[in-house]
Amino acid sequence: MVATQRKTTQKKRFNDVVKAESRNLDFYYADGTQALKNVNLDVYENKITALIGPSGCGKSTFLRSFNRMHDLYTGNRYDGQIVLHPDNTNILDKKVDPIEVRMRISMVFQKPNPFPKSIYENVAYGLRVRGEANTHVLDEKVEEALKGASLWEEVKDRLHDLAFNLSGGQQQRLCIARALATEPEIMLFDEPTSALDPIATVNIEELMSELKKKLSILIVTHNMQQAARISDYCAYMYLGELVEHDLTDKIFTNPSKKETEDYITGKFG
Amino acid sequence: MAENNAKQLKDLDQIRALIQKHKKNDFIFAFIGMFIIASLTITLLILFLDLFFDGYPRLGLEFFSNYPSRKAIQAGILSAWIGSSLVLIVTFLVAVPMGIAAGVYLEEYAKKNWLSDLIEINVSNLAGVPSIIYGLLALGLFVYSFGLGQSILTAGLTLALLMLPVVIVATRESIRAIPVHIREAAFAVGATKWQVVLNHVIPYSYGGILTGVIIGMARAIGETAPVITIGALTFIAFLPPSPIGTEAPFLNFDWLQSGFTVLPIQMFNWISRPQYEFHVNAAATGAVIIVLTALMNGFAIKLRYDVRKKIKW
């Protein structure tokens, strides 16, 4: 009851629609370390929520809970819920197949990780996994996804080249196109620009602002300027706990917690 | 100022002396390594050239198209090389799918616990079991229990047992070389385990798997002990029935039950004769086996090179 009450008060704080919320989320790695402690966080529809905090604070662990990446390794354990709206599915429920979750929530990784296949096959893979075999549909969706990731103009004449021949920034946009092709509801970004140069970084950031019109974004970033530039909401995590979650403007101009302020001003972390 | 410069120069001299000293170690190690490699290579080369020159008078087309004979000059390795080829076909068809399947299962599906550890240790140990033990196992199991007879099928299965651990280990090693982030990328778009195995794991590791397969085959082609144990013939002047028929369905499997001999047994048979002329035949057969092995290894290297060119992590 108490939890529900808290939820309602929090929903009143912001006027946006909640797309997903973690409720009392704990996470334990196989070796017993607790990486997340009672995290309650809302992700809003068509908004970018940034997770910031020092290394090892659990932000990546939290992000990877959203597509059940931890299920790939035995011994990891979740407690609590991540509820996806509007259907109210607890995606951490043992009865919910992680594959179903990954079909709804896609992910872009820290290092560009295209498959050693052609550009076309990289983007089409998510659709092929879903059983799409019609060449016309595939062609159309691949083009659409590449346009969505603003990569189409650069690669339209060499769709069947190996993805490795692209530059780092192009590879990362290819990975975004791959994640986009399946029309996910939420896209997770795990420090997507940390391996890229400043120009490629700007491209990706602009792309994310464009993408949020269609879906909700949760991003982990090490770079506070990046969080300030692109996110609508910002959450500061420390030692597995959520310290503060608020509108980005508020967090960066007038944080309510001292720890957040110390981290943002660079006194700590 | 001048003092300072002098001191810096002295320091520089010391650093250079130190580097020189350390580089000496580089040189010594490189020299020892080169020496070992050179002596191995030269030994093998001498061995091969010796075989080649000894057997040279017999190395003609006829040698490959004649049956063994009581007259050394007319004897050839026709039945032996056909026997070896047919046995290797069986070995390949059995060991490769089973080995890859076992490797994929152990790496991708099996839960990591004491049982999988035990299996892992056993598989690695199997690769080191003396081949005659496999021969005894095959004699008891395939020849007597299963009643497969002293046939090509039995020999193929026996050598497949021998090759299986090599294929399993090679499969696992090359699967492990696939980076975690590529694997996660495939799972992240919603692929099932089987889709990941079929579309990613096997295609990306097949260079390494094929290398293991070919090295295993190269080992199998030279194996003598297990094939003798199961009772391969040593003198054979007929060919097994042809695997390809003239009538539909164009395939027949009678050859599987046929008696046979293989190249190393033919060589062994000739070398144990007292007459010198047969020793020439043995040398020629030895040269053929070494060339075949070298060709297979060369093919493995080429494959690995081609795959590496396409896939870089």
Side-chain angles (χ1 to χ4, degrees):
Chain A
M1 263 340 272
V2 181
T4 351
Q5 196 120 38
R6 196 191 50 76
K7 279 281 104 143
T8 32
T9 51
Q10 205 176 59
K11 263 173 205 161
K12 266 185 196 159
R13 275 174 66 198
F14 311 117
N15 283 327
D16 292 309
V17 183
V18 176
K19 178 61 198 167
E21 52 183 309
S22 73
R23 293 180 186 158
N24 309 93
L25 181 63
D26 293 325
F27 180 80
Y28 304 86
Y29 278 109
D31 62 3
T33 42
Q34 183 170 7
L36 295 176
K37 293 170 193 158
N38 194 28
V39 177
N40 288 286
L41 179 77
D42 294 346
V43 175
Y44 295 97
E45 207 157 287
N46 302 111
K47 298 289 168 200
I48 297 179
T49 305
L51 297 165
I52 57 170
S55 295
C57 71
K59 49 196 195 308
S60 277
T61 307
F62 181 68
L63 186 87
R64 288 162 65 91
S65 301
F66 273 77
N67 66 347
R68 302 265 301 259
M69 257 331 180
H70 300 299
D71 288 42
L72 295 178
Y73 309 98
T74 44
N76 296 336
R77 189 162 60 82
Y78 313 89
D79 264 338
Q81 301 183 320
I82 294 178
V83 178
L84 207 58
H85 295 295
D87 48 314
N88 250 335
T89 310
N90 170 21
I91 58 173
L92 296 184
D93 196 325
K94 288 220 157 53
K95 277 174 264 167
V96 176
D97 197 309
I99 293 168
E100 175 193 316
V101 178
R102 293 176 199 141
M103 287 194 168
R104 300 181 62 182
I105 301 178
S106 66
M107 179 161 178
V108 175
F109 295 79
Q110 185 169 359
K111 213 180 130 200
N113 54 357
F115 303 130
K117 297 176 187 280
S118 69
I119 294 169
Y120 182 93
E121 281 307 320
N122 263 282
V123 182
Y125 189 63
L127 303 162
R128 289 204 193 277
V129 159
R130 284 159 179 73
E132 184 60 71
N134 184 321
T135 336
H136 293 294
V137 178
L138 282 174
D139 286 352
E140 221 166 83
K141 293 211 168 174
V142 166
E143 179 175 344
E144 198 182 309
L146 283 169
K147 278 179 177 159
S150 41
L151 190 60
W152 175 251
E153 287 304 318
E154 292 155 66
V155 300
K156 63 179 177 192
D157 300 321
R158 46 172 178 151
L159 287 175
H160 296 284
D161 274 13
L162 274 183
F164 286 141
N165 297 334
L166 297 174
S167 73
Q170 288 174 324
Q171 285 188 17
Q172 193 63 305
R173 273 180 284 150
L174 179 67
C175 292
I176 292 175
R178 180 174 67 194
L180 194 62
T182 54
E183 293 164 15
E185 298 162 46
I186 302 179
M187 242 165 126
L188 310 171
F189 289 83
D190 190 357
E191 297 185 38
T193 59
S194 62
L196 303 180
D197 63 73
I199 293 171
T201 300
V202 172
N203 284 337
I204 302 267
E205 286 179 4
E206 282 171 357
L207 182 54
M208 276 190 270
S209 309
E210 200 56 41
L211 286 176
K212 75 173 180 182
K213 292 174 189 160
K214 283 183 275 185
L215 39 79
S216 317
I217 291 177
L218 186 59
I219 173 175
V220 164
T221 175
H222 248 110
N223 179 333
M224 268 179 291
Q225 285 76 30
Q226 181 169 63
R229 278 196 299 267
I230 61 168
S231 69
D232 304 291
Y233 291 91
C234 196
Y236 171 60
M237 288 180 74
Y238 182 59
L239 295 178
E241 287 178 81
L242 180 65
V243 178
E244 188 170 353
H245 175 217
D246 214 323
L247 288 163
T248 301
D249 289 341
K250 174 99 183 345
I251 290 256
F252 280 92
T253 52
N254 185 21
S256 53
K257 297 251 170 72
K258 177 89 173 48
E259 296 102 297
T260 317
E261 190 182 337
D262 285 351
Y263 181 70
I264 283 164
T265 52
K267 276 187 201 149
F268 162 77
Chain B
M1 213 39 203
E3 252 170 60
N4 236 344
N5 278 345
K7 191 173 172 297
Q8 269 175 6
L9 274 179
K10 202 178 140 239
D11 284 351
L12 200 58
D13 281 344
Q14 273 176 350
I15 290 171
R16 282 178 183 155
L18 196 68
I19 293 172
Q20 281 302 320
K21 210 176 101 193
H22 289 172
K23 280 216 163 159
K24 211 176 280 166
N25 293 342
D26 276 351
F27 178 77
I28 292 172
F29 180 78
F31 181 78
I32 294 175
M34 281 285 281
F35 179 75
I36 295 171
I37 290 171
S39 47
L40 284 175
T41 319
I42 290 171
T43 312
L44 184 69
L45 199 68
I46 290 175
L47 205 68
F48 173 70
L49 287 178
D50 188 45
L51 274 176
F52 183 77
F53 287 124
D54 281 352
Y56 182 73
R58 300 290 300 123
L59 281 171
L61 267 182
E62 278 183 5
F63 189 60
F64 291 91
S65 62
N66 281 359
Y67 290 107
S69 158
R70 275 177 292 123
K71 296 188 192 105
I73 202 74
Q74 284 171 14
I77 54 168
L78 178 65
S79 49
W81 76 257
I82 288 193
S84 271
S85 315
L86 292 176
V87 167
L88 277 188
I89 288 174
V90 176
T91 305
F92 180 86
L93 291 180
V94 174
V96 172
M98 277 176 68
I100 295 177
V104 167
Y105 175 79
L106 286 173
E107 213 44 49
E108 297 288 323
Y109 285 83
K111 286 226 162 66
K112 305 277 175 282
N113 53 27
W114 63 269
L115 187 65
S116 62
D117 287 347
L118 193 72
I119 293 175
E120 168 151 19
I121 293 168
N122 269 302
V123 169
S124 317
N125 281 344
L126 275 181
V129 170
S131 56
I132 188 126
I133 308 281
Y134 285 97
L136 285 174
L137 170 80
L139 185 67
L141 192 69
F142 298 140
V143 179
Y144 293 131
S145 301
F146 293 175
L148 297 179
Q150 297 164 342
S151 60
I152 290 180
L153 180 61
T154 304
L157 290 175
T158 311
L159 294 182
L161 281 184
L162 209 78
M163 190 177 150
L164 208 49
V166 182
V167 179
I168 294 174
V169 170
T171 304
R172 298 189 66 179
E173 297 277 315
S174 37
I175 287 178
R176 275 186 214 154
I178 299 173
V180 174
H181 60 260
I182 296 285
R183 189 187 295 273
E184 287 190 346
F187 279 113
V189 295
T192 60
K193 236 175 209 181
W194 179 240
Q195 286 170 326
V196 173
V197 165
L198 206 64
N199 304 332
H200 301 279
V201 170
I202 291 180
Y204 307 160
S205 56
Y206 99 111
I209 295 175
L210 274 182
T211 310
V213 165
I214 291 168
I215 288 170
M217 299 270 285
R219 184 184 166 190
I221 202 177
E223 276 300 342
T224 325
V227 193
I228 290 185
T229 317
I230 59 169
L233 304 169
T234 45
F235 186 93
I236 185 168
F238 61 87
L239 286 183
S242 165
I244 299 158
T246 45
E247 288 164 32
F250 302 108
L251 283 175
N252 80 66
F253 294 99
D254 295 341
W255 56 278
L256 285 172
Q257 274 124 46
S258 170
F260 68 99
T261 192
V262 290
L263 286 167
I265 291 185
Q266 185 66 71
M267 182 176 169
F268 177 71
N269 175 249
W270 277 331
I271 203 79
S272 42
R273 298 265 192 127
Q275 300 92 331
Y276 173 76
E277 294 73 40
F278 282 108
H279 296 178
V280 174
N281 286 352
T285 316
V288 170
I289 294 176
I290 290 188
V291 168
L292 278 179
T293 315
L295 281 178
M296 287 168 94
N297 280 318
F299 187 56
I301 292 167
K302 165 104 176 66
L303 275 175
R304 203 166 37 196
Y305 176 77
D306 285 353
V307 171
R308 283 213 185 132
K309 222 169 34 180
K310 217 171 74 185
I311 295 177
K312 45 186 175 219
W313 309 115

